Amino acid sequence: LQIITHQTTGVVGVGSIVVAAVNGKERELTIVGPQEVNPAKGLISNESPLGQALIGHKAGETVEFSAPAGKIKYTIKAVK
């Protein structure tokens, strides 16, 4: 068991709450470990394509990742 505490640095990491815009809608996502995933509640794995795309970025940046539906862009509005 590993407990990860998040320090607010403004950079997305495990434990970060990310407010991001995609297709004109804002979503609030929390980056979690693979055991805690619950997409319906906005809990996104750090190992998922979206989680990997967001990690290491800051508010104001746009990230792009490949999904089955094609390339998707998320614009990070805030990192909590």
Side-chain angles (χ1 to χ4, degrees):
L1 176 66
Q2 181 179 5
I3 297 176
I4 299 172
T5 57
H6 178 69
Q7 297 177 355
T8 305
T9 61
V11 176
V12 178
V14 175
S16 294
I17 297 170
V18 180
V19 178
V22 59
N23 298 328
K25 297 179 184 176
E26 277 198 6
R27 294 185 62 196
E28 187 170 283
L29 307 166
T30 303
I31 308 299
V32 297
Q35 299 82 9
E36 301 173 84
V37 171
N38 187 336
K41 292 185 178 180
L43 302 177
I44 306 299
S45 171
N46 63 316
E47 296 177 1
S48 70
L50 174 56
Q52 290 179 0
L54 291 170
I55 287 178
H57 291 276
K58 299 178 179 182
E61 295 182 347
T62 298
V63 300
E64 183 177 271
F65 72 99
S66 294
K71 292 200 182 278
I72 301 175
K73 289 184 181 182
Y74 276 73
T75 301
I76 302 169
K77 300 291 187 182
V79 179
K80 304 178 194 176

